[in-house]
Amino acid sequence: MSDTLEININENSRVPKYKQIVDSILNGIDGGQIKIGEKIPSINELSESCFLSRDTVEKAYKELRKRQIIESVKGKGYYISRINKNDIINIFFLINKPSTYKMMIYNYFVNAIGTKGNVEMYIYHCDETLFINSLKKNLGGFDYYVVMPHFRDEQYKHTSSTQEVLDMIEQIPKNKLLLLDNTKPNISGEYGSIYQDFEHDIYNALKEGLDKIKKYEKIILVYPDKSIHPYPFRIVRGFEQFCRDFKLDYEILDEIYPDMELQDKDIFITIRERDLVNLVKQIRQKNLKLGEDIGIISYNETPLKELLGITVITTDFKAMGESAAYMILKNKKEQVNNVFKFIQRESL
């Protein structure tokens, strides 16, 4: 059993104590004080030595087991997982922008890969040249390439790919390729893909909330027409089809303007964070009641939207990240439409 395991618990810290246990063990491994395959104290032993509740230690060990840092051997106790360094998977992770949503996918992916992989993230800011150069420099150096294909054209509108991009992706061995987030472009061979179907996802999610939406008189999509990090136009197509099919009065704006002409019984769908913030500010300034006078649906979930009671239509970022990790760890080559949800809250 490890005599060098130091569990540092700061009673004055706001970091949960189970997380402090996890961090102490991880730091011990990184610093070489705890060796791979070494036995660590039992839950009861650590609980007594650190004056912590058994539940706290159990929660920490559960987290470490989930991340495959430790393993339990029946009748013997807990050990640091035996990992052959030669078996670690090296993963190239290429994302189009460092948004909250993309970083959530990345973090869920890294956590699910755990100690079985080494993940290096690169960002190309929807720029075709940066994308191609990043892949050229790293081609052949990784076991897997996880790629999110989102680009902007010369008019700063969204495009899924160009011929140059497709030519570059074709150079990646298909058994090492995983396309993420965007629907697959026309690439040959069998490869993995976990994507959003932007047009049908928004249609189906809004249909789920149709009864609530119908209490409003006009529905307005705030879709940024031009952006450094543009959004797929398929969102607009799905929105328009939904409005036509259910005979709803609608309008599309490219932003929330100062001093908007807000009308009672308008409902807005916002995509960018700043449009959501500007809209909520104006609703408050005009003493309108959110969820009654004005409705809001926001695109993509964040913890802050949950806290503020904002209704969202959103892909499941956790499912996307964890599914991507699963496909790599199990060497799967599947095409999966990621879960997309309607989450109703007080703003509708």
Side-chain angles (χ1 to χ4, degrees), residues 210 214 217 241-250:
L210 182 60
K214 276 187 170 180
E217 295 176 1
Q241 189 63 51
F242 169 78
C243 294
R244 287 193 295 266
D245 285 353
F246 296 100
K247 298 178 173 52
L248 301 174
D249 184 19
Y250 72 93

Side-chain angles (χ1 to χ4, degrees), residues 37-61:
E38 192 169 354
K39 188 176 183 181
I40 62 173
S42 69
I43 291 174
N44 286 335
E45 288 169 338
L46 196 56
S47 171
E48 291 173 8
S49 64
C50 294
F51 304 100
L52 295 169
S53 73
R54 192 180 189 283
D55 288 346
T56 297
V57 180
E58 191 171 20
K59 187 173 182 181
Y61 277 27

Side-chain angles (χ1 to χ4, degrees), residues 113 190 297:
I113 288 290
E190 292 186 12
I297 300 173

Side-chain angles (χ1 to χ4, degrees), residues 189-206:
E190 292 186 12
Y191 56 90
S193 176
I194 303 171
Y195 60 90
Q196 296 189 62
D197 183 346
F198 294 96
E199 182 172 348
H200 294 100
D201 284 346
I202 188 172
Y203 182 100
N204 292 328
L206 292 176

Side-chain angles (χ1 to χ4, degrees), residues 216 266-270 275-281 283 290-299 309-312 342-343 345-348:
Y216 296 92
D266 281 347
I267 179 172
F268 290 82
I269 301 174
T270 62
D275 286 319
L276 174 61
V277 170
N278 290 339
L279 178 59
V280 171
K281 281 183 178 178
I283 290 171
L290 184 60
E292 292 187 14
D293 303 323
I294 302 288
I296 294 180
I297 300 173
S298 188
Y299 202 93
I310 302 295
T311 298
V312 295
F342 169 83
I343 303 175
R345 298 193 180 111
E346 295 86 345
S347 69
L348 186 60

Side-chain angles (χ1 to χ4, degrees), residues 41-147:
S42 69
I43 291 174
N44 286 335
E45 288 169 338
L46 196 56
S47 171
E48 291 173 8
S49 64
C50 294
F51 304 100
L52 295 169
S53 73
R54 192 180 189 283
D55 288 346
T56 297
V57 180
E58 191 171 20
K59 187 173 182 181
Y61 277 27
K62 183 178 180 181
E63 173 69 17
L64 289 164
R65 288 181 67 184
K66 180 181 176 184
R67 294 167 63 176
Q68 299 175 326
I69 306 298
I70 66 173
E71 57 187 345
S72 61
V73 178
K74 191 173 182 180
K76 292 187 176 181
Y78 291 92
Y79 294 80
I80 303 299
S81 295
R82 296 180 182 274
I83 298 167
N84 185 343
K85 293 294 183 183
N86 295 326
D87 292 337
I88 288 180
I89 305 168
N90 290 305
I91 303 165
F92 179 88
F93 200 98
L94 187 58
I95 66 174
N96 61 304
K97 60 181 178 180
S99 68
T100 302
Y101 322 114
K102 300 305 169 71
M103 294 311 299
M104 286 171 67
I105 296 170
Y106 172 77
N107 288 328
Y108 283 123
F109 175 81
V110 169
N111 287 338
I113 288 290
T115 56
K116 293 186 177 179
N118 175 52
V119 187
E120 293 189 25
M121 182 180 69
Y122 296 80
I123 304 171
Y124 66 95
H125 299 287
C126 296
D127 183 276
E128 176 188 340
T129 302
L130 289 176
F131 177 90
I132 292 172
N133 288 342
S134 292
L135 279 175
K136 275 184 178 178
K137 288 178 183 177
N138 292 283
L139 205 59
F142 291 83
D143 300 307
Y144 279 92
Y145 294 82
V146 181
V147 178

